[in-house]
Amino acid sequence: MDVASARSISSHPPYYRNPICSSQLSLIRLSRDKVCCFGRISNGIASFSTSLHAVPSGRNLSETRRTGFQLCNRSLSWDPFRFHDKKSHRLSELARTITVRSDFSGAATPEASYPEPEIKLSSRLRGVCFCVVAAVSAIVLIVLMLVGHPFVLLFDRYRRKFHHFIAKLWASISIYPFYKITIEGLENLPSSDTAAVYVSNHQSFLDIYTLLSIGKSFKFISKTGIFVIPIIGWAMSMMGVVPLKRMDPRSQMDCLKRCMELLKKGASVFFFPEGTRSKDGQLGPFKKGAFSVAAKTGVPVVPITLMGTGKIMPTGSEGILNHGEVRVIIHKPIHGSKADVLCKEARSKIAESMDLLS
């Protein structure tokens, strides 16, 4: 009976780089030929509790297999006629405990598994301070947006540069005390009167703050649920952020149509082609929606690489803020009329710069 393999033991997610201590316990469920084993690993020894519904005759659980696991202490074999009329005795007899000694030296050692990283108290305090600074500055600056909004609708209905200037000011105030941003390739940015499609990798909640600090007036695409958040949602509405329901095909089509209308009016739009934040910092596949919009409207695509935001505020840990620096690389605009070519070239540029910086 093949009890387990190395792949079965290394069941921890690949995101975390540091392995667990050998003293920690891991719950394992193995199944083979209707045999279910539950157990835990501690200090290199795995204890399993088995429930055998059917084990082929002639097989013995104490034999050593090529998987590298040697079973000892108990030997279980199944005779289909042994407890024919003794159901209760059969059930108690089949509930056995097996001790398994792993021949893999790293099966439950610091060289094998991946734990969740420890969150320091200082990171939590920095996260709280960041939220306080962002909230207070937003409350103050939203007043300026409200006062200037009627004039923006009259004189700059589509680009709304005044609102984006306020957003840049808010982002800069929020992040300045906590981390430094280095921007490369500012000369590659199109002029303020040139509409373009901007695309970037997506690593963290801080990506928005970082991109707003660049100072370009482009329209983000955001989930509809964020628009109901007081102050932040109001500011997004006044800035002209495009709403999107992720799982609604009709909303996706309306979003792309709205982006095309904005581009034709001279406003730029911003896409995260991955569709969501990366959990491990690796670049995911790009969706073609942004590049289809660029190809149909004839505007350039400006790829942007973000590095460091995922380490400062990892995905799923928005309440913490680690120390670190952020690098932003603005690549040269890409022109083309085929969405596939634009998508491939933009992703290639971002991937190359990420490999060089990692």
Side-chain angles (χ1 to χ4, degrees), residues 8-298:
S8 301
I9 294 297
S10 299
S11 58
H12 299 276
Y15 169 68
Y16 301 103
R17 303 293 183 188
N18 300 320
I20 60 172
C21 303
S22 59
S23 61
Q24 291 184 350
L25 302 180
S26 299
L27 180 65
I28 300 175
R29 182 182 187 277
L30 308 173
S31 117
R32 175 79 178 205
D33 297 328
K34 296 184 180 180
V35 179
C36 294
C37 302
F38 293 86
R40 60 183 183 176
I41 295 178
S42 179
N43 297 322
I45 302 299
S47 295
F48 289 85
S49 227
T50 65
S51 173
L52 307 181
H53 298 288
V55 179
S57 181
R59 284 278 180 93
N60 195 305
L61 290 182
S62 63
E63 59 183 304
T64 303
R65 308 300 296 176
R66 292 181 182 178
T67 55
F69 288 90
Q70 183 176 1
L71 308 186
C72 55
N73 292 349
R74 287 255 183 160
S75 178
L76 295 181
S77 59
W78 173 247
D79 182 356
F81 304 101
R82 184 176 179 185
F83 302 117
H84 183 69
D85 295 324
K86 300 179 181 180
K87 184 175 181 181
S88 60
H89 184 60
R90 172 189 176 188
L91 294 175
S92 62
E93 185 71 12
L94 290 180
R96 300 296 184 95
T97 300
I98 307 169
T99 301
V100 182
R101 184 179 302 277
S102 171
D103 288 337
F104 292 101
S105 60
T109 62
E111 291 77 24
S113 308
Y114 306 98
E116 296 188 4
E118 240 182 273
I119 299 176
K120 297 181 179 179
L121 179 61
S122 61
S123 297
R124 293 187 182 277
L125 293 176
R126 283 168 55 84
V128 172
C129 293
F130 173 80
C131 293
V132 170
V133 171
V136 172
S137 58
I139 293 172
V140 174
L141 294 175
I142 192 69
V143 177
L144 297 178
M145 273 194 175
L146 291 170
V147 172
H149 190 59
F151 301 97
V152 169
L153 293 179
L154 284 174
F155 301 106
D156 192 15
R157 188 177 187 86
Y158 296 100
R159 294 175 184 168
R160 306 191 181 188
K161 293 181 181 180
F162 175 76
H163 287 338
H164 283 276
F165 171 76
I166 299 298
K168 176 187 176 181
L169 188 60
W170 170 68
S172 301
I173 293 173
S174 300
I175 65 181
Y176 177 76
F178 302 101
Y179 66 88
K180 179 183 177 182
I181 300 177
T182 302
I183 303 177
E184 303 175 14
L186 283 172
E187 66 278 4
N188 295 326
L189 286 174
S191 64
S192 58
D193 296 329
T194 302
V197 171
Y198 294 82
V199 296
S200 171
N201 59 310
H202 201 7
Q203 294 186 340
S204 170
F205 179 73
L206 295 179
D207 293 344
I208 302 296
Y209 291 83
T210 303
L211 292 166
L212 285 174
S213 67
I214 296 176
K216 295 298 292 184
S217 57
F218 37 62
K219 311 299 180 186
F220 286 101
I221 296 171
S222 179
K223 295 182 294 185
T224 54
I226 301 180
F227 285 83
V228 300
I229 301 176
I231 300 177
I232 299 297
W234 305 340
M236 289 169 56
S237 298
M238 288 188 285
M239 289 173 62
V241 174
V242 182
L244 171 67
K245 293 180 180 179
R246 285 186 177 178
M247 306 307 295
D248 187 347
R250 179 177 295 179
S251 176
Q252 294 174 3
M253 291 300 299
D254 292 341
C255 173
L256 295 179
K257 290 179 180 178
R258 176 59 179 164
C259 289
M260 293 178 66
E261 291 175 2
L262 289 170
L263 289 167
K264 291 176 181 178
K265 297 293 184 179
S268 298
V269 294
F270 194 101
F271 288 83
F272 291 111
E274 293 170 279
T276 187
R277 286 170 287 174
S278 173
K279 294 182 179 180
D280 56 4
Q282 301 298 315
L283 187 64
F286 278 11
K287 299 179 180 180
K288 297 179 182 178
F291 308 99
S292 298
V293 169
K296 291 178 180 179
T297 55

